[in-house]
């Protein structure tokens, strides 16, 4: 019996060693799979913007020409860009988008930081229930909400106005941002507020001097989210805005550059690319802070 | 600086859980009092009630003669040091220490003077520009203490401040805390579960158990004259031995037939003992190798199960009848071996007799 056990042990042992020996090949395999899927994903996600960029450099004749490889530009031209940037209506869309997004991000962050602080730290009757309620409202899609909201916005006399959009966009951003901030605030050790309380801080000072600086990564994440949602919103402006002077970029481009069945493809692509620029810049700029914040976020002692 | 009075303090949590069951305690001005006890004994809750971080269910807490039950923490003029330091991670060491003074709108020059002074006392002057994450555990704890010192409060509260440090640093910081207290003389309430910390730091130790105070007294008194079995067993390491015993004819009878005569001076004290169910309590250091000829010594034969040579002493673990986990401290020169019977000498001047039912020391 002992001999049998011994031989079994040896077998087991060799099994372990053979596995250990294959560790590097397993790692190589994992790396290959990772690279392959990442490259595939990159191609899928980058193909549309690249095609947009290529198309935006073509004249209408070249776009309409079905001969040849559509991924190549034969006569590059900047005419689509100059036409757009010379068009006051397009600049108006840009300005509208900036005004709306700026105000929405501001409103969202003020509401969600205050709400999250109260829900995460001030234990009061129903705070748990409210926190869950805030999240549930996020689960209702805007495609369901825009009809009743049309009534409300109409009742307020804000139809066909960027102010109506500034009012309704926070319904998309506030719940999720509040939820992010609740999570961040909850991760701050309780002793930190207690230390601040003893040091003489009131609730507002605790929020502004301790919680907001410590939760900066969370605030930036929420800001990025609010910016992206607000910049890219499509359903609400489609429903609530009718004249070009009140339109944000998203619907301005599709409604004004498509005339009946005439598509100004070159300008549409150039416009879409220009419209995508601010989020890219915001991400690139804030991501540095975001990552710096993450690595510096030594909340634990 | 001020005294702190706790009068019939009760803390009830939801579901009628009583964390603190009506305690009375007077802490004198300049005194260093340590609350010690096992986890869940109510010591931290008591400290947090003094700080104002927990509401008091009933009773009164007075700091410097003023009842503070309904006064928020910031107006109680206390400072607290937490187990995990609770430093503000985004502020430099200087700002961490200055925060309380800035909120109280102290003039800049005064803030700087106080922070510099505290930094000098704690030897952290070179660290003032650093962020907490660039500090070691011991340095963080110094900063946390500095934050308390600069406020010059009436009372310092420490909530297990050394528990996150490694053993060596803990001993070092313990000395540091004692030194700081000898310098600033602020009334201090210190919570720990470590009886060594309690013994070394305290002017008076408060031993708590299950929401009640078991005994209050200077460390030496608690060590030599414990009032209850809990205190006798909690203070001292290795813990006191408890052996079931009877008293007859002026001697303690132990299981296994050992008879230990009670010293003359103690006879009167144990007059009521005969006939009672008793525990014989004796510390390991009073159960030593055989030393014939010394007064008030009694012989007792044991069979060690495990011998632990510690260098400066040798611990012999044994059991006697039903009493398990008994321990004796022998001179390192004694050649004791496991499972070989050995005669020990019990120092009867330092024995204790306890009522087995109530746990009270007679």
């Amino acid at each position: 019996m002992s001999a049998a056990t011994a031989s079994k042990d040896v077998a087991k042992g060799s099994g372990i060693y053979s596995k250990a020996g294959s560790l590097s090949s397993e790692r190589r395999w994992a790396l290959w799979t990772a690279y392959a899927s990442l490259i595939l994903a990159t191609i899928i996600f980058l193909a549309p913007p690249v095609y947009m960029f290529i198309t935006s450099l073509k004249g209408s004749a070249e776009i309409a020409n079905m001969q040849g490889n559509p991924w190549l530009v034969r006569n590059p031209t900047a005419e689509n860009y100059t036409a757009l940037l010379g068009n006051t209506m397009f600049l108006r869309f840009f300005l509208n988008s900036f005004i709306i997004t700026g105000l929405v991000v501001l409103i969202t962050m003020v509401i969600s930081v205050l709400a999250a602080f109260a829900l995460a730290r001030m234990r009061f009757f129903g705070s748990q229930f409210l926190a869950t309620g805030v999240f549930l409202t996020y689960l209702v899609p805007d495609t369901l909400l825009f009809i009743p909201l049309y009534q409300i916005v109409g009742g307020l006399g804000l139809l066909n106005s960027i102010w109506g959009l500034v009012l309704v966009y926070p319904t998309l951003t506030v719940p999720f941002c509040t939820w992010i901030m609740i999570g961040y605030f909850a991760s701050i050790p309780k002793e930190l507020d207690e230390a601040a309380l003893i040091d003489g801080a009131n609730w507002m000072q605790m929020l502004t001097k301790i919680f907001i600086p410590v939760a900066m990564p969370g605030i930036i994440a929420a800001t990025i989210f609010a910016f992206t949602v607000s910049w890219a919103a499509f359903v609400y402006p489609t429903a609530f805005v009718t004249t070009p002077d009140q339109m944000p970029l998203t619907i301005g481009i599709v409604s004004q550059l498509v005339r009946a069945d005439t598509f100004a493809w070159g300008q549409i692509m150039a416009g879409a690319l220009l419209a995508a620029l601010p989020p890219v810049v915001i991400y690139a700029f804030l991501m540095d802070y975001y990552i710096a914040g993450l690595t510096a976020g030594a909340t634990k002692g | 600086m001020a005294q702190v009075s706790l009068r019939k303090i009760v803390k009830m949590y939801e579901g009628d859980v009583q964390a603190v069951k009506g305690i009375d305690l007077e802490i004198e001005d300049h005194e260093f009092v340590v609350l010690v006890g096992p986890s869940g004994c109510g010591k931290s809750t008591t400290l947090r009630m003094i700080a104002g971080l927990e509401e008091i269910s009933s009773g009164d807490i007075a700091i410097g003669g003023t009842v503070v039950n309904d006064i928020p923490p910031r107006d109680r003029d206390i400072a607290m040091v937490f187990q995990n330091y609770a430093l503000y991670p985004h502020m430099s060491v200087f700002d961490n220490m200055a925060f309380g003074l800035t909120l109280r709108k102290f003039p800049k020059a005064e803030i700087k003077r106080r922070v510099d002074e505290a930094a000098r006392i704690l030897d952290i002057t070179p660290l003032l520009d650093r962020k907490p994450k660039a500090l070691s555990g011991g340095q963080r704890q110094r900063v946390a203490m500095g934050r308390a010192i600069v406020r010059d409060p009436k009372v310092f509260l420490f909530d297990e401040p050394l528990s996150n440090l490694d053993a060596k640093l803990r001993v070092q910081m313990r000395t540091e805390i004692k030194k700081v207290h000898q310098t600033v003389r602020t009334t201090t309430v210190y919570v720990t579960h470590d009886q060594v910390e309690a013994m070394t730091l305290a002017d008076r130790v408060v031993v708590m158990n299950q929401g009640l105070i078991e005994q209050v007294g200077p460390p030496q008194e608690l060590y030599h004259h414990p009032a209850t079995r809990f205190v006798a067993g909690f203070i001292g390491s290795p813990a006191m031995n408890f052996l079931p015993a009877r008293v007859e004819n002026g001697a303690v009878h132990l299981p296994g037939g050992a008879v230990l005569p009670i010293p003359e001076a103690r006879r009167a004290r144990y007059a009521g003992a005969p006939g009672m169910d008793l525990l014989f309590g004796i510390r390991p250091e009073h159960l030593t190798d055989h030393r014939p000829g010394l007064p008030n010594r009694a012989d007792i034969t044991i069979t060690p199960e495990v011998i632990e040579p510690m260098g400066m002493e040798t611990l012999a673990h044994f059991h006697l009848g039903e009493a398990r986990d008994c321990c004796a401290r022998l001179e390192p020169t004694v050649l004791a071996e496991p499972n070989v019977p050995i005669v020990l000498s019990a120092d009867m001047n330092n024995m204790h007799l306890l009522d087995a039912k109530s746990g009270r020391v007679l």
Side-chain angles (χ1 to χ4, degrees):
Chain A
M1 154 137 187
S2 69
T5 329
S7 73
K8 218 164 134 192
D9 280 350
V10 170
K12 227 185 189 172
S14 71
I16 291 167
Y17 288 121
S18 70
K19 217 175 180 183
S22 74
L23 209 66
S24 66
S25 77
E26 249 177 57
R27 186 183 132 82
R28 204 177 311 133
W29 194 82
L31 274 179
W32 274 114
T33 337
Y35 273 121
S37 13
L38 284 175
I39 289 169
L40 189 71
T42 314
I43 291 173
I44 291 173
F45 282 104
L46 279 188
V50 168
Y51 194 62
M52 281 159 72
F53 178 65
I54 289 167
T55 311
S56 72
L57 295 177
K58 295 178 180 175
S60 331
E62 192 178 341
I63 293 170
N65 183 1
M66 301 303 281
Q67 252 85 62
N69 188 339
W71 290 86
L72 296 176
V73 189
R74 283 177 202 84
N75 305 303
T77 167
E79 69 182 34
N80 293 319
Y81 290 93
T82 47
L84 270 184
L85 295 174
N87 181 343
T88 50
M89 198 187 284
F90 182 76
L91 296 178
R92 179 82 225 172
F93 298 157
F94 238 110
L95 186 66
N96 284 344
S97 269
F98 268 115
I99 293 172
I100 295 168
T101 303
L103 287 174
V104 167
V105 167
L106 193 72
I107 292 171
T108 304
M109 291 322 293
V110 169
I111 294 179
S112 59
V113 165
L114 288 174
F117 182 63
L119 291 172
R121 274 307 201 263
M122 303 171 162
R123 281 166 297 174
F124 56 89
F125 179 74
S127 57
Q128 276 293 318
F129 178 77
L130 261 176
T132 319
V134 165
F135 187 63
L136 287 179
T137 58
Y138 178 63
L139 299 181
V140 185
D142 47 354
T143 38
L144 272 181
L145 281 178
F146 79 95
I147 298 171
L149 272 179
Y150 191 90
Q151 295 283 329
I152 296 173
V153 175
L156 292 171
L158 291 173
L159 280 176
N160 193 27
S161 151
I162 58 170
W163 307 117
L165 299 181
V166 169
L167 186 71
V168 294
Y169 281 9
T171 62
L172 301 173
T173 53
V174 165
F176 190 69
C177 290
T178 306
W179 196 252
I180 293 179
M181 292 318 299
I182 289 177
Y184 257 89
F185 286 160
S187 75
I188 295 175
K190 197 101 190 68
E191 285 83 2
L192 226 53
D193 7 340
E194 291 177 344
L197 269 184
I198 289 175
D199 264 343
N202 57 33
W203 287 106
M204 207 57 205
Q205 286 168 322
M206 200 193 293
L207 175 67
T208 54
K209 292 189 192 296
I210 309 290
F211 274 70
I212 289 180
V214 172
M216 218 19 147
I219 289 177
I220 288 174
T223 307
I224 290 178
F225 175 83
F227 182 91
T228 314
V229 166
S230 170
W231 188 263
F234 194 80
V235 175
Y236 286 171
T238 310
F240 302 151
V241 175
T242 42
T243 58
D245 64 316
Q246 301 293 323
M247 283 180 179
L249 267 172
T250 40
I251 60 160
I253 290 169
V254 291
S255 67
Q256 299 308 307
L257 298 179
V258 181
R259 292 281 171 215
D261 56 352
T262 315
F263 288 73
W265 281 120
Q267 287 194 27
I268 291 178
M269 293 302 150
L273 272 182
L274 289 177
L277 216 54
V280 169
V281 170
I282 294 274
Y283 270 74
F285 177 69
L286 287 183
M287 214 40 112
D288 279 353
Y289 282 89
Y290 182 63
I291 289 164
L294 275 187
T295 46
T299 48
K300 209 178 143 54
Chain B
M1 315 239 169
Q3 65 273 44
V4 178
S5 318
L6 311 187
R7 296 177 207 121
K8 305 226 170 346
I9 294 299
V10 174
K11 178 66 189 181
M12 304 269 284
Y13 284 112
E14 278 165 48
D16 282 352
V17 183
Q18 264 197 333
V20 177
K21 301 171 182 168
I23 60 172
D24 289 290
L25 183 64
E26 290 292 328
I27 298 166
E28 299 303 324
D29 199 3
H30 303 308
E31 199 177 16
F32 198 122
V33 165
V34 175
L35 307 182
V36 68
S39 24
C41 71
K43 56 189 190 300
S44 273
T45 310
T46 306
L47 189 80
R48 292 170 59 81
M49 286 192 287
I50 299 174
L53 298 172
E54 299 273 353
E55 278 175 30
I56 305 163
S57 302
S58 77
D60 283 323
I61 290 180
I63 297 175
T66 318
V67 175
V68 295
N69 291 13
D70 300 318
I71 296 179
R74 67 167 177 271
D75 298 327
R76 290 191 184 195
D77 201 3
I78 45 143
M80 188 156 168
V81 176
F82 295 86
Q83 181 177 346
N84 66 358
Y85 327 128
L87 300 180
Y88 310 122
H90 56 294
M91 294 183 193
S92 68
V93 167
F94 183 95
D95 291 339
N96 260 284
M97 287 164 69
F99 188 62
L101 302 176
T102 316
L103 288 179
R104 287 178 167 79
K105 307 225 165 21
F106 274 67
K108 275 230 167 68
E110 172 68 6
I111 293 176
K112 179 148 174 35
R113 194 189 62 75
R114 287 201 187 193
V115 172
D116 286 345
E117 170 70 8
R120 196 187 51 76
I121 293 175
L122 293 163
D123 204 11
I124 50 173
T125 310
L127 308 177
L128 285 175
D129 295 329
R130 293 211 200 155
K131 290 272 173 67
K133 74 176 159 85
L135 302 179
S136 71
Q139 290 169 333
R140 287 179 200 184
Q141 197 51 276
R142 277 167 211 256
V143 176
M145 277 164 61
R147 195 165 62 181
I149 292 173
V150 294
R151 294 254 320 277
D152 191 18
K154 285 185 187 149
V155 185
F156 282 156
L157 304 173
F158 287 88
D159 191 3
E160 307 222 7
L162 305 183
S163 300
N164 276 13
L165 302 178
D166 62 52
K168 200 174 158 196
L169 206 51
R170 204 177 301 168
V171 175
Q172 198 186 326
M173 284 305 293
R174 201 168 72 198
T175 326
E176 203 74 29
I177 290 176
K178 194 156 191 172
K179 234 193 276 172
V180 167
H181 182 253
Q182 283 163 0
T183 314
V184 299
R185 306 292 301 151
T186 306
T187 312
T188 302
V189 187
Y190 185 108
V191 160
T192 179
H193 61 265
D194 181 349
Q195 49 103 7
V196 179
E197 259 172 53
M199 295 288 286
T200 49
L201 285 171
D203 294 327
R204 272 195 309 158
V205 178
V206 178
V207 182
M208 292 186 68
N209 185 30
Q210 299 184 341
L212 286 170
I213 292 179
E214 290 269 338
Q215 190 175 358
V216 183
Q220 291 298 332
E221 185 187 312
L222 256 61
Y223 189 79
H224 292 292
H225 308 288
T228 63
R229 179 178 177 169
F230 180 83
V231 176
F234 191 81
I235 303 285
S237 174
M240 187 186 282
N241 300 303
F242 296 105
L243 304 160
R246 285 176 299 113
V247 168
E248 271 172 31
N249 306 324
V252 179
H253 293 246
L254 296 182
V259 178
L260 315 175
I262 297 171
E264 202 63 53
R266 289 196 168 210
R267 294 256 165 93
R269 183 164 152 196
Y270 300 134
M276 284 172 75
D277 260 347
L278 297 170
L279 286 171
F280 172 70
I282 190 153
R283 295 197 182 277
E285 53 268 43
H286 299 136
L287 202 54
T288 56
D289 37 285
H290 195 45
R291 289 170 193 171
L294 284 176
N296 296 320
R297 290 264 167 175
D299 292 350
I300 174 170
T301 307
I302 61 135
T303 310
E305 292 168 313
V306 176
I307 301 287
E308 291 181 326
M310 311 285 283
M312 60 174 288
E313 65 193 11
T314 298
L315 298 181
H317 297 272
F318 62 95
H319 74 262
L320 202 65
E322 293 156 37
R324 311 211 146 260
D325 304 323
C326 297
C327 182
R329 275 182 152 154
L330 312 178
E331 285 290 321
T333 49
V334 175
L335 295 171
E337 278 181 59
N339 303 316
V340 177
I342 180 174
V343 180
L344 298 183
S345 171
D347 178 358
M348 298 302 277
N349 279 332
N350 284 302
M351 61 163 270
H352 304 276
L353 279 179
L354 297 84
D355 182 345
K357 270 200 208 85
S358 66
R360 218 165 28 80
V361 176
L362 300 182

